[in-house]
């Protein structure tokens, strides 16, 4: 009962923060998901982040400040667009898929996370440009999932089967199964796979989850993957696996809320100290909306 009261108070503080201090995108998405707002307002809030090439940039992913499009920022946009009705975000989504078809690199059978232009702008050090990426699934597996979700559109023609088989093969034969960002990308793909295809990667995902999810409460203050980030709703296929620890995880989240109603990132750049505060404010919007969803769907 005490936790429920604390969680309800945290939800109210989070809602107030999102309504009064959040980025326009997270504010619009909050209004759409929680207050019956318009999907068109979410699309309008996304427009400043989309480039002529169809990809997204301009700090949509707060740690990447460059204006140029990146695969990572474009997947972030599609995480939002995939929650909206097709008629609202359709044209924007089609342009994003077209961007992916035009930036696919046959040499790596997928996509670079970020373009070389990232080096010309402030950024987190983990977003320095590099051709090498030992974790193919981040972001290519997630991108495959969006081609599946929007497979009926002309932009997806000829891509769905190729990318799906490639993603399954990469996970089953090449992935080290120990990097949690890659896991999250594969989970987003898995949500969009048909039953038989999902079954082919089930055991590998189970192993990956066991290696990547931090169940040690003493480690939750650091940067890592929490149980609630895998079992995000009670309908999640992994809810039963973590249902005993989820209440403690939610309690930890509630206790981490700041007085203004937001949650702050558990990381910092250690560089570009004049720009990091801008990125940090954007992250507060992203994290607060995410935690509000978890409280809605898990408590």
């Amino acid at each position: 009962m005490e936790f429920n009261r604390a969680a309800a108070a945290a939800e109210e503080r989070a809602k107030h923060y999102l309504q009064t201090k959040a980025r326009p995108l997270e504010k619009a998405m909050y209004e759409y998901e929680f207050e019956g707002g318009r999907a068109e307002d979410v699309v309008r809030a996304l427009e400043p982040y989309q480039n002529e090439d169809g990809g997204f940039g301009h700090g949509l992913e707060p740690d990447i400040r460059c204006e140029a499009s990146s695969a990572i920022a474009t997947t972030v946009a599609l995480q939002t667009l995939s929650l909206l009705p097709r008629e609202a975000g359709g044209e924007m989504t089609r342009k994003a898929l077209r961007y992916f078809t035009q930036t696919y690199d046959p040499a790596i059978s997928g996509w670079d996370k970020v373009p070389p232009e990232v080096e010309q702008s402030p950024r987190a050090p983990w977003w320095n440009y590099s051709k090498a990426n030992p974790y193919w699934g981040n972001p290519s597996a997630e991108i495959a999932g969006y081609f599946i979700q929007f497979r009926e559109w002309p932009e997806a023609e000829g891509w769905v089967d190729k990318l799906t088989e490639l993603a399954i093969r990469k996970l089953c034969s090449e992935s080290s199964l120990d990097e949690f960002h890659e896991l999250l990308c594969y989970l987003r793909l898995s949500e969009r796979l048909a039953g038989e295809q999902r079954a082919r990667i089930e055991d590998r995902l189970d192993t990956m989850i066991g290696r990547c999810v931090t169940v040690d409460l003493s480690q939750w203050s650091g940067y890592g993957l929490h149980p609630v980030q895998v079992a995000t709703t009670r309908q999640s296929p992994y809810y039963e696996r973590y249902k005993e620890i989820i209440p403690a995880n939610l309690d930890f989240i509630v206790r981490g809320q700041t007085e203004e109603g937001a949650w702050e990132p558990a990381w910092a750049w250690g560089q570009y100290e004049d720009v990091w505060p801008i990125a940090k404010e954007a992250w507060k919007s992203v994290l607060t909306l995410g935690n509000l969803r978890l409280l809605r769907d898990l408590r």
Side-chain angles (χ1 to χ4, degrees):
M1 184 65 70
E2 183 178 344
F3 167 74
N4 284 335
R5 284 198 296 268
E11 287 177 318
E12 290 305 310
R13 289 192 295 270
K15 290 176 180 180
H16 180 72
Y17 178 86
L18 289 165
Q19 289 176 315
T20 60
K21 296 183 179 180
R23 280 197 308 186
L25 174 58
E26 283 74 34
K27 179 180 180 181
M29 197 62 189
Y30 162 76
E31 293 290 344
Y32 172 70
E33 289 191 64
F34 291 85
E35 304 291 347
R38 290 162 24 98
E40 291 78 9
D41 292 338
V42 179
V43 174
R44 191 171 298 112
L46 264 174
E47 285 175 353
Y49 299 103
Q50 191 170 35
N51 289 312
E52 286 296 318
D53 62 8
F56 287 77
H58 302 275
L60 176 59
E61 203 284 8
D63 286 342
I64 307 172
R65 307 308 299 176
C66 73
E67 296 181 359
S69 299
S70 68
I72 290 293
T74 307
T75 61
V76 170
L78 285 168
Q79 289 167 21
T80 293
L81 288 166
S82 65
L83 299 175
L84 303 181
R86 298 287 176 93
E87 61 271 18
E91 185 59 29
M92 182 175 279
T93 302
R94 291 180 65 174
K95 289 179 180 178
L97 292 179
R98 197 175 306 131
Y99 164 77
F100 282 133
T101 66
Q102 294 170 349
T103 54
Y104 177 84
D105 184 352
I108 60 173
S109 301
W111 289 267
D112 280 333
K113 293 180 182 180
V114 293
E117 292 93 327
V118 76
E119 296 281 344
Q120 308 305 315
S121 301
R123 64 198 176 280
W126 46 88
W127 288 126
N128 293 341
Y129 177 71
S130 174
K131 247 337 219 185
N133 176 14
Y135 305 107
W136 178 90
N138 179 20
S140 296
E142 179 174 348
I143 294 169
Y146 298 126
F147 275 97
I148 293 170
Q149 181 171 350
F150 302 107
R151 66 185 305 152
E152 73 275 13
W153 287 348
E155 290 77 8
E157 186 176 353
W159 289 88
V160 176
D161 293 340
K162 174 176 74 172
L163 291 176
T164 301
E165 285 303 310
L166 182 60
I168 291 173
R169 179 173 60 80
K170 289 279 189 181
L171 181 65
C172 292
S173 63
E174 296 182 23
S175 174
S176 58
L177 306 180
D178 60 2
E179 207 285 319
F180 81 76
H181 297 95
E182 184 176 51
L183 168 61
L184 291 173
C185 290
Y186 266 106
L187 288 174
R188 294 180 188 117
L189 168 64
S190 178
E191 292 170 359
R192 296 165 169 87
L193 288 176
E196 182 180 344
Q197 291 172 324
R198 189 183 302 117
R200 290 170 60 190
I201 64 172
E202 196 170 88
D203 289 346
R204 299 287 283 182
L205 281 181
D206 283 347
T207 298
M208 202 172 188
I209 287 169
R211 293 178 181 176
C212 293
V213 174
T214 303
V215 294
D216 182 349
L217 282 66
S218 68
Q219 301 296 314
W220 284 346
S221 295
Y223 184 66
L225 190 65
H226 291 208
V228 294
Q229 292 174 277
V230 169
T232 56
T233 72
R234 290 177 179 266
Q235 290 71 46
S236 164
Y238 306 106
Y239 178 78
E240 287 297 316
R241 181 169 182 166
Y242 291 113
K243 70 176 182 179
E244 298 301 322
I245 201 171
I246 282 174
N249 204 174
L250 291 177
D251 181 62
F252 171 83
I253 289 171
V254 167
R255 288 186 285 107
Q257 188 182 38
T258 66
E259 288 187 6
E260 68 175 338
W263 281 268
E264 297 184 346
W267 63 91
W269 289 0
Q271 59 185 29
Y272 298 106
E273 296 299 337
D274 57 329
V275 179
W276 162 242
I278 299 171
K280 181 179 178 180
E281 285 300 312
W283 274 120
K284 286 163 62 176
S285 296
V286 174
L287 296 171
T288 302
L289 179 59
N291 284 337
L292 186 60
R293 288 168 173 155
L294 292 175
L295 290 171
R296 174 193 65 190
D297 295 336
L298 285 172
R299 80 178 183 92

